[in-house]
mmCIF file with all atom_site columns, all heavy atoms in Angstrom:
data_model
loop_
_atom_site.group_PDB
_atom_site.id
_atom_site.type_symbol
_atom_site.label_atom_id
_atom_site.label_alt_id
_atom_site.label_comp_id
_atom_site.label_asym_id
_atom_site.label_entity_id
_atom_site.label_seq_id
_atom_site.pdbx_PDB_ins_code
_atom_site.Cartn_x
_atom_site.Cartn_y
_atom_site.Cartn_z
_atom_site.occupancy
_atom_site.B_iso_or_equiv
_atom_site.pdbx_formal_charge
_atom_site.auth_seq_id
_atom_site.auth_comp_id
_atom_site.auth_asym_id
_atom_site.auth_atom_id
_atom_site.pdbx_PDB_model_num
ATOM 1   N N   . PHE A 1 48 ? -23.312 -16.564 2.982  1.00 89.00 ? 176 PHE A N   1
ATOM 2   C CA  . PHE A 1 48 ? -23.606 -17.732 2.134  1.00 89.00 ? 176 PHE A CA  1
ATOM 3   C C   . PHE A 1 48 ? -25.108 -17.961 2.055  1.00 89.00 ? 176 PHE A C   1
ATOM 4   O O   . PHE A 1 48 ? -25.840 -17.653 3.012  1.00 89.00 ? 176 PHE A O   1
ATOM 5   C CB  . PHE A 1 48 ? -22.961 -18.995 2.686  1.00 89.00 ? 176 PHE A CB  1
ATOM 6   C CG  . PHE A 1 48 ? -21.474 -18.882 2.841  1.00 89.00 ? 176 PHE A CG  1
ATOM 7   C CD1 . PHE A 1 48 ? -20.889 -18.420 3.993  1.00 89.00 ? 176 PHE A CD1 1
ATOM 8   C CD2 . PHE A 1 48 ? -20.660 -19.280 1.763  1.00 89.00 ? 176 PHE A CD2 1
ATOM 9   C CE1 . PHE A 1 48 ? -19.535 -18.337 4.157  1.00 89.00 ? 176 PHE A CE1 1
ATOM 10  C CE2 . PHE A 1 48 ? -19.283 -19.214 1.892  1.00 89.00 ? 176 PHE A CE2 1
ATOM 11  C CZ  . PHE A 1 48 ? -18.693 -18.735 3.037  1.00 89.00 ? 176 PHE A CZ  1
ATOM 12  N N   . ASP A 1 49 ? -25.569 -18.516 0.913  1.00 90.00 ? 177 ASP A N   1
ATOM 13  C CA  . ASP A 1 49 ? -26.989 -18.884 0.836  1.00 90.00 ? 177 ASP A CA  1
ATOM 14  C C   . ASP A 1 49 ? -27.160 -20.258 1.458  1.00 90.00 ? 177 ASP A C   1
ATOM 15  O O   . ASP A 1 49 ? -26.229 -20.857 1.970  1.00 90.00 ? 177 ASP A O   1
ATOM 16  C CB  . ASP A 1 49 ? -27.492 -18.775 -0.593 1.00 90.00 ? 177 ASP A CB  1
ATOM 17  C CG  . ASP A 1 49 ? -26.882 -19.812 -1.565 1.00 90.00 ? 177 ASP A CG  1
ATOM 18  O OD1 . ASP A 1 49 ? -26.175 -20.734 -1.099 1.00 90.00 ? 177 ASP A OD1 1
ATOM 19  O OD2 . ASP A 1 49 ? -27.086 -19.656 -2.756 1.00 90.00 ? 177 ASP A OD2 1
ATOM 20  N N   . GLU A 1 50 ? -28.366 -20.791 1.366  1.00 93.00 ? 178 GLU A N   1
ATOM 21  C CA  . GLU A 1 50 ? -28.677 -22.076 2.011  1.00 93.00 ? 178 GLU A CA  1
ATOM 22  C C   . GLU A 1 50 ? -27.987 -23.262 1.339  1.00 93.00 ? 178 GLU A C   1
ATOM 23  O O   . GLU A 1 50 ? -27.893 -24.346 1.859  1.00 93.00 ? 178 GLU A O   1
ATOM 24  C CB  . GLU A 1 50 ? -30.214 -22.340 2.057  1.00 93.00 ? 178 GLU A CB  1
ATOM 25  C CG  . GLU A 1 50 ? -30.852 -22.389 0.693  1.00 93.00 ? 178 GLU A CG  1
ATOM 26  C CD  . GLU A 1 50 ? -31.230 -21.026 0.123  1.00 93.00 ? 178 GLU A CD  1
ATOM 27  O OE1 . GLU A 1 50 ? -31.007 -19.986 0.786  1.00 93.00 ? 178 GLU A OE1 1
ATOM 28  O OE2 . GLU A 1 50 ? -31.757 -20.998 -0.976 1.00 93.00 ? 178 GLU A OE2 1
ATOM 29  N N   . HIS A 1 51 ? -27.389 -23.022 0.132  1.00 91.00 ? 179 HIS A N   1
ATOM 30  C CA  . HIS A 1 51 ? -26.685 -24.041 -0.603 1.00 91.00 ? 179 HIS A CA  1
ATOM 31  C C   . HIS A 1 51 ? -25.143 -23.952 -0.404 1.00 91.00 ? 179 HIS A C   1
ATOM 32  O O   . HIS A 1 51 ? -24.382 -24.687 -1.047 1.00 91.00 ? 179 HIS A O   1
ATOM 33  C CB  . HIS A 1 51 ? -27.013 -24.023 -2.094 1.00 91.00 ? 179 HIS A CB  1
ATOM 34  C CG  . HIS A 1 51 ? -28.471 -24.095 -2.364 1.00 91.00 ? 179 HIS A CG  1
ATOM 35  N ND1 . HIS A 1 51 ? -29.206 -25.238 -2.157 1.00 91.00 ? 179 HIS A ND1 1
ATOM 36  C CD2 . HIS A 1 51 ? -29.366 -23.141 -2.734 1.00 91.00 ? 179 HIS A CD2 1
ATOM 37  C CE1 . HIS A 1 51 ? -30.494 -25.027 -2.442 1.00 91.00 ? 179 HIS A CE1 1
ATOM 38  N NE2 . HIS A 1 51 ? -30.570 -23.744 -2.803 1.00 91.00 ? 179 HIS A NE2 1
ATOM 39  N N   . GLY A 1 52 ? -24.714 -22.967 0.398  1.00 89.00 ? 180 GLY A N   1
ATOM 40  C CA  . GLY A 1 52 ? -23.309 -22.813 0.636  1.00 89.00 ? 180 GLY A CA  1
ATOM 41  C C   . GLY A 1 52 ? -22.618 -21.924 -0.392 1.00 89.00 ? 180 GLY A C   1
ATOM 42  O O   . GLY A 1 52 ? -21.384 -21.812 -0.388 1.00 89.00 ? 180 GLY A O   1
ATOM 43  N N   . GLN A 1 53 ? -23.374 -21.295 -1.253 1.00 89.00 ? 181 GLN A N   1
ATOM 44  C CA  . GLN A 1 53 ? -22.831 -20.408 -2.291 1.00 89.00 ? 181 GLN A CA  1
ATOM 45  C C   . GLN A 1 53 ? -22.586 -19.020 -1.693 1.00 89.00 ? 181 GLN A C   1
ATOM 46  O O   . GLN A 1 53 ? -23.377 -18.505 -0.954 1.00 89.00 ? 181 GLN A O   1
ATOM 47  C CB  . GLN A 1 53 ? -23.826 -20.273 -3.455 1.00 89.00 ? 181 GLN A CB  1
ATOM 48  C CG  . GLN A 1 53 ? -23.362 -19.400 -4.551 1.00 89.00 ? 181 GLN A CG  1
ATOM 49  C CD  . GLN A 1 53 ? -22.152 -19.897 -5.304 1.00 89.00 ? 181 GLN A CD  1
ATOM 50  O OE1 . GLN A 1 53 ? -22.045 -21.099 -5.536 1.00 89.00 ? 181 GLN A OE1 1
ATOM 51  N NE2 . GLN A 1 53 ? -21.275 -19.040 -5.616 1.00 89.00 ? 181 GLN A NE2 1
ATOM 52  N N   . ILE A 1 54 ? -21.380 -18.461 -2.000 1.00 88.00 ? 182 ILE A N   1
ATOM 53  C CA  . ILE A 1 54 ? -21.104 -17.134 -1.518 1.00 88.00 ? 182 ILE A CA  1
ATOM 54  C C   . ILE A 1 54 ? -22.039 -16.144 -2.185 1.00 88.00 ? 182 ILE A C   1
ATOM 55  O O   . ILE A 1 54 ? -22.184 -16.153 -3.423 1.00 88.00 ? 182 ILE A O   1
ATOM 56  C CB  . ILE A 1 54 ? -19.657 -16.741 -1.865 1.00 88.00 ? 182 ILE A CB  1
ATOM 57  C CG1 . ILE A 1 54 ? -18.662 -17.651 -1.154 1.00 88.00 ? 182 ILE A CG1 1
ATOM 58  C CG2 . ILE A 1 54 ? -19.361 -15.251 -1.451 1.00 88.00 ? 182 ILE A CG2 1
ATOM 59  C CD1 . ILE A 1 54 ? -17.220 -17.517 -1.620 1.00 88.00 ? 182 ILE A CD1 1
ATOM 60  N N   . ILE A 1 55 ? -22.749 -15.318 -1.387 1.00 87.00 ? 183 ILE A N   1
ATOM 61  C CA  . ILE A 1 55 ? -23.634 -14.333 -1.952 1.00 87.00 ? 183 ILE A CA  1
ATOM 62  C C   . ILE A 1 55 ? -23.177 -12.890 -1.702 1.00 87.00 ? 183 ILE A C   1
ATOM 63  O O   . ILE A 1 55 ? -23.640 -11.982 -2.393 1.00 87.00 ? 183 ILE A O   1
ATOM 64  C CB  . ILE A 1 55 ? -25.077 -14.533 -1.447 1.00 87.00 ? 183 ILE A CB  1
ATOM 65  C CG1 . ILE A 1 55 ? -25.167 -14.482 0.080  1.00 87.00 ? 183 ILE A CG1 1
ATOM 66  C CG2 . ILE A 1 55 ? -25.650 -15.775 -2.008 1.00 87.00 ? 183 ILE A CG2 1
ATOM 67  C CD1 . ILE A 1 55 ? -26.568 -14.502 0.598  1.00 87.00 ? 183 ILE A CD1 1
ATOM 68  N N   . GLN A 1 56 ? -22.263 -12.724 -0.721 1.00 85.00 ? 184 GLN A N   1
ATOM 69  C CA  . GLN A 1 56 ? -21.767 -11.380 -0.474 1.00 85.00 ? 184 GLN A CA  1
ATOM 70  C C   . GLN A 1 56 ? -20.442 -11.461 0.234  1.00 85.00 ? 184 GLN A C   1
ATOM 71  O O   . GLN A 1 56 ? -20.231 -12.333 1.076  1.00 85.00 ? 184 GLN A O   1
ATOM 72  C CB  . GLN A 1 56 ? -22.746 -10.619 0.408  1.00 85.00 ? 184 GLN A CB  1
ATOM 73  C CG  . GLN A 1 56 ? -22.334 -9.160  0.685  1.00 85.00 ? 184 GLN A CG  1
ATOM 74  C CD  . GLN A 1 56 ? -23.387 -8.424  1.510  1.00 85.00 ? 184 GLN A CD  1
ATOM 75  O OE1 . GLN A 1 56 ? -24.366 -8.958  1.952  1.00 85.00 ? 184 GLN A OE1 1
ATOM 76  N NE2 . GLN A 1 56 ? -23.126 -7.163  1.717  1.00 85.00 ? 184 GLN A NE2 1
ATOM 77  N N   . ILE A 1 57 ? -19.540 -10.545 -0.094 1.00 85.00 ? 185 ILE A N   1
ATOM 78  C CA  . ILE A 1 57 ? -18.252 -10.406 0.565  1.00 85.00 ? 185 ILE A CA  1
ATOM 79  C C   . ILE A 1 57 ? -18.105 -8.988  1.027  1.00 85.00 ? 185 ILE A C   1
ATOM 80  O O   . ILE A 1 57 ? -18.379 -8.057  0.283  1.00 85.00 ? 185 ILE A O   1
ATOM 81  C CB  . ILE A 1 57 ? -17.075 -10.751 -0.385 1.00 85.00 ? 185 ILE A CB  1
ATOM 82  C CG1 . ILE A 1 57 ? -17.230 -12.200 -0.936 1.00 85.00 ? 185 ILE A CG1 1
ATOM 83  C CG2 . ILE A 1 57 ? -15.733 -10.547 0.297  1.00 85.00 ? 185 ILE A CG2 1
ATOM 84  C CD1 . ILE A 1 57 ? -16.216 -12.532 -2.013 1.00 85.00 ? 185 ILE A CD1 1
ATOM 85  N N   . GLU A 1 58 ? -17.753 -8.839  2.312  1.00 85.00 ? 186 GLU A N   1
ATOM 86  C CA  . GLU A 1 58 ? -17.471 -7.530  2.859  1.00 85.00 ? 186 GLU A CA  1
ATOM 87  C C   . GLU A 1 58 ? -16.054 -7.528  3.346  1.00 85.00 ? 186 GLU A C   1
ATOM 88  O O   . GLU A 1 58 ? -15.517 -8.511  3.844  1.00 85.00 ? 186 GLU A O   1
ATOM 89  C CB  . GLU A 1 58 ? -18.447 -7.213  3.985  1.00 85.00 ? 186 GLU A CB  1
ATOM 90  C CG  . GLU A 1 58 ? -19.902 -7.106  3.534  1.00 85.00 ? 186 GLU A CG  1
ATOM 91  C CD  . GLU A 1 58 ? -20.846 -7.014  4.690  1.00 85.00 ? 186 GLU A CD  1
ATOM 92  O OE1 . GLU A 1 58 ? -20.652 -7.671  5.722  1.00 85.00 ? 186 GLU A OE1 1
ATOM 93  O OE2 . GLU A 1 58 ? -21.820 -6.290  4.566  1.00 85.00 ? 186 GLU A OE2 1
ATOM 94  N N   . ALA A 1 59 ? -15.414 -6.331  3.211  1.00 84.00 ? 187 ALA A N   1
ATOM 95  C CA  . ALA A 1 59 ? -14.006 -6.245  3.628  1.00 84.00 ? 187 ALA A CA  1
ATOM 96  C C   . ALA A 1 59 ? -13.817 -5.104  4.608  1.00 84.00 ? 187 ALA A C   1
ATOM 97  O O   . ALA A 1 59 ? -14.545 -4.113  4.563  1.00 84.00 ? 187 ALA A O   1
ATOM 98  C CB  . ALA A 1 59 ? -13.119 -6.026  2.421  1.00 84.00 ? 187 ALA A CB  1
ATOM 99  N N   . ASP A 1 60 ? -12.854 -5.278  5.455  1.00 83.00 ? 188 ASP A N   1
ATOM 100 C CA  . ASP A 1 60 ? -12.337 -4.290  6.396  1.00 83.00 ? 188 ASP A CA  1
ATOM 101 C C   . ASP A 1 60 ? -13.450 -3.740  7.335  1.00 83.00 ? 188 ASP A C   1
ATOM 102 O O   . ASP A 1 60 ? -14.067 -4.489  8.013  1.00 83.00 ? 188 ASP A O   1
ATOM 103 C CB  . ASP A 1 60 ? -11.545 -3.217  5.697  1.00 83.00 ? 188 ASP A CB  1
ATOM 104 C CG  . ASP A 1 60 ? -10.337 -3.809  5.005  1.00 83.00 ? 188 ASP A CG  1
ATOM 105 O OD1 . ASP A 1 60 ? -9.755  -4.780  5.582  1.00 83.00 ? 188 ASP A OD1 1
ATOM 106 O OD2 . ASP A 1 60 ? -9.914  -3.376  3.933  1.00 83.00 ? 188 ASP A OD2 1
ATOM 107 N N   . SER A 1 61 ? -13.715 -2.448  7.287  1.00 83.00 ? 189 SER A N   1
ATOM 108 C CA  . SER A 1 61 ? -14.661 -1.848  8.279  1.00 83.00 ? 189 SER A CA  1
ATOM 109 C C   . SER A 1 61 ? -16.059 -2.420  8.112  1.00 83.00 ? 189 SER A C   1
ATOM 110 O O   . SER A 1 61 ? -16.738 -2.684  9.118  1.00 83.00 ? 189 SER A O   1
ATOM 111 C CB  . SER A 1 61 ? -14.696 -0.332  8.155  1.00 83.00 ? 189 SER A CB  1
ATOM 112 O OG  . SER A 1 61 ? -15.102 0.105   6.871  1.00 83.00 ? 189 SER A OG  1
#
Side-chain angles (χ1 to χ4, degrees):
F176 300 90
D177 66 11
E178 62 275 359
H179 305 289
Q181 179 65 40
I182 298 170
I183 56 174
Q184 183 177 3
I185 300 172
E186 295 172 322
D188 298 326
S189 60

